[in-house]
């Protein structure tokens, strides 16, 4: 049997929405919306980092071609 803390850790994925096989109870239910919002922010940060890396690679490529 899993404790409440173990269930809250098990439920997490990248967007923190979980798969529905574990349901938080009690005070831990208050964390679910915050975890989902945090996951969405992490998705945004990862996307921003990826786009920045692509932009930098393109800028280097253009600069090398002009030289």
């Amino acid at each position: 049997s899993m404790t409440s803390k173990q269930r809250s850790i098990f439920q997490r994925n990248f967007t923190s929405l979980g798969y529905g096989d574990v349901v938080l109870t009690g005070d831990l239910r208050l964390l679910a919306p915050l975890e989902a919002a945090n996951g969405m922010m992490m998705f945004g940060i990862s996307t921003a980092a990826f786009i920045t890396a692509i932009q930098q690679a393109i800028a280097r490529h253009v600069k090398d071609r002009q030289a």
Side-chain angles (χ1 to χ4, degrees), residues 35-56:
E35 292 260 349
N38 182 50
M40 294 308 293
M41 287 188 294
M42 292 301 295
F43 184 75
I45 289 170
S46 298
T47 302
F50 177 73
I51 295 300
T52 300
I54 295 295
Q55 287 176 334
Q56 290 175 354

Side-chain angles (χ1 to χ4, degrees), residues 3 6 12 16 19-21 24 31 34 37 42 44 47 50-51 53 59:
T3 65
Q6 289 171 330
R12 294 181 188 173
S16 296
Y19 297 106
D21 53 348
L24 297 176
L31 292 177
L34 296 175
M42 292 301 295
T47 302
F50 177 73
I51 295 300

Side-chain angles (χ1 to χ4, degrees), residues 14-31:
F14 193 67
T15 59
S16 296
L17 295 176
Y19 297 106
D21 53 348
V22 177
V23 178
L24 297 176
T25 58
D27 291 340
L28 289 176
R29 291 186 72 145
L30 297 174
L31 292 177

Side-chain angles (χ1 to χ4, degrees), residues 54-67:
I54 295 295
Q55 287 176 334
Q56 290 175 354
I58 290 171
R60 277 190 305 251
H61 178 70
V62 169
K63 185 178 176 182
D64 290 345
R65 289 190 77 189
Q66 290 176 350

